[in-house]
Amino acid sequence: MNKDTAKKIIIAGIIIALLTIIIGWFGFPALVSMKISKSVALRKPNEMRQMWSKSPLALDFKVYMFNVTNPEEAAKGEIPMVQEVGPYYYHEWKEKVNLEDHPEDDTVSFRMKNTFYFNETISAPLTGDEMITIPHAAMLSMVYTVEREKPGALNLLGKGIKFLFNNPTTPFLTAKARDILFDGVPINCTSKDFATAAICTMIRANPSGLKPVGDDIFLFSFFGMKNATPDATKLEVKRGVTDPQEVGLVVKVNDKEKMTTWNGDPCNTPTGTDSTIFPPFLEQSQDIVAFSTDLCLSIGAKFEKEVVFKGIPGNRYTATLGDMSSDPDMQCYCPAPDKCLKKGVIDLTKCAGAPIAATLPHLYETHPDYQRMVKGLNPDIDKHGINMIFEPMTATPVSARKRLQFNIFTHPVPKIAVMKTFCTALIPIFWIEEGVDLPDDFINLLETQLFRTLRIAAVGRWIGVGLGCLLALGGLAVYIMQRQSVTITPSPTKVQEMNGRH
């Protein structure tokens, strides 16, 4: 091999190494980023749009109810005692309906429809026929709403209650779990009593949350009217076609950029995504933020640590409900400017139209004053915290647990006979866990299409650099050897002298 060939080998090796570095460390990652960015866009009718519109997976939806074990004593002002009953296990299918694209804004609007199916096998031995005692949410909602908005009408309401709720003797309701959750507890409007007729006229005019059975019976439940029914709230979100980092971000609620639910900004400005899709390439310094139509607000989850889920590297995030009493950005959630709730409680009265308060389950991460209002709770970070694991490149939630508890603030109302001595407390009614672990076939798809390709590329680029370096070093070695080698040729004079001696 001559020196020219060695030079060519050196140059070829350097070129291979440089090209591998450029392609492997810059070109290929840019290509992957471009492919991911393109794949997450909600462009009709691509695969992501189809999965976003109608989830291919059912969520695990578990309901844990709180049975009040001392209703008579609590009605007389004593601290209520509760016992958890659950979980009642449902499969929740999510679908977006009434979709309408707005290409000029790169947005799409929709309403969410959730459908629940009870799983008797997993719920066993619970069947839904268990008798549960809870604060009578429908009755208390009426009383506390009238007390707050039209206190002069309390006497009229007090007369109508006995007909509406079958002559109640307590502010508590005892009914089957399935009736409280989905099938409904009756509100009776058959009476011709003046007070009852007046109340029922208002109910007929605005039966929100109630299922009418004919003209005179209305069924109250927590989830019945939401089951397989498009949500009343319309969302408009970014499609991510123009900017993938905006995909799923909520820009309008009921066609308005700002809500009127809360006491000003920033609470009335929706932030984050619709909770079913997130922008790719998550940074650990960024919060995961999602808007909830059930709460009329956004919840942010903070990075906790790096984890591995079924072989997939991910980032784990956790969330709390904050503290409106100390966080200036949350004080617009206060029921009144001078009446903020303490840590871990959000008053949903303005959102739900009923005196419901949201907390984490078992009052986990709430102020001790609330925890002292009820007995029988056992808060546990592993069972009652909000947590989720995301694969950061694609922002795929590989495991998630959203947990929320719904409670009611109670206090005595002297003008209502059954509530004259009612306890002052924050009484839990039920809590839910909405979650999913990505099944193995989806994990394998993620592994095959992304991580296997990344591993092959990672190995390939080092092989390419190594091969280029070996060629360059080999050529350099040959070149040096060629320069150091010397060919010795005897001079003519020396040859003649040698021949003359013979």
Side-chain angles (χ1 to χ4, degrees), residues 7 16-17 28 49 54 77 93-94 100 118 132 148 169 206 259 313 349 372 398 479:
K7 287 180 180 179
I16 290 173
F28 183 75
R49 171 71 172 246
K54 188 173 183 178
W93 291 93
K94 288 184 172 291
E100 184 178 348
F118 183 59
I132 305 291
R148 182 180 66 252
T169 59
N206 182 25
M259 301 179 292
T349 301
R372 286 191 285 266
V398 295
Y479 181 80

Side-chain angles (χ1 to χ4, degrees), residues 425-467:
L426 178 62
I427 305 180
I429 303 173
F430 65 90
W431 68 273
I432 61 172
E433 177 183 289
E434 190 179 55
V436 65
D437 286 337
L438 210 60
D440 290 343
D441 52 347
F442 282 85
I443 290 288
N444 293 337
L445 190 64
L446 194 61
E447 164 70 23
T448 302
Q449 293 189 353
L450 179 62
F451 290 101
R452 187 176 298 175
T453 303
L454 292 176
R455 282 197 296 268
I456 291 173
V459 172
R461 66 190 184 187
W462 284 111
I463 290 175
V465 170
L467 179 61

Side-chain angles (χ1 to χ4, degrees), residues 139 143 153-159 161 413-421:
M139 182 172 69
V143 172
L154 278 174
N155 287 328
L156 180 69
L157 179 62
K159 294 176 182 178
I161 278 178
V413 180
K415 292 184 178 181
I416 304 297
V418 297
M419 296 176 63
K420 286 183 178 180
T421 58

Side-chain angles (χ1 to χ4, degrees), residues 6-27:
K7 287 180 180 179
K8 292 178 180 178
I9 292 174
I10 294 172
I11 294 171
I14 292 173
I15 290 173
I16 290 173
L18 288 175
L19 284 176
T20 303
I21 290 172
I22 292 171
I23 295 173
W25 271 269
F26 299 97

Side-chain angles (χ1 to χ4, degrees), residues 183-251:
D183 292 349
V185 176
I187 298 175
N188 191 340
C189 282
T190 57
S191 173
K192 303 302 180 183
D193 171 78
F194 174 77
T196 306
I199 296 169
C200 289
T201 298
M202 291 187 288
I203 290 176
R204 292 187 183 97
N206 182 25
S208 177
L210 301 176
K211 180 180 180 180
V213 181
D215 292 331
D216 296 325
I217 301 295
F218 296 86
L219 297 179
F220 167 82
S221 66
F222 287 106
F223 299 106
M225 286 300 292
K226 296 181 178 181
N227 193 15
T229 303
D231 195 274
T233 303
K234 176 183 176 183
L235 292 183
E236 185 173 327
V237 305
K238 285 287 187 178
R239 300 184 305 176
V241 176
T242 303
D243 183 356
Q245 287 302 307
E246 291 185 339
V247 67
L249 294 181
V250 177
V251 294

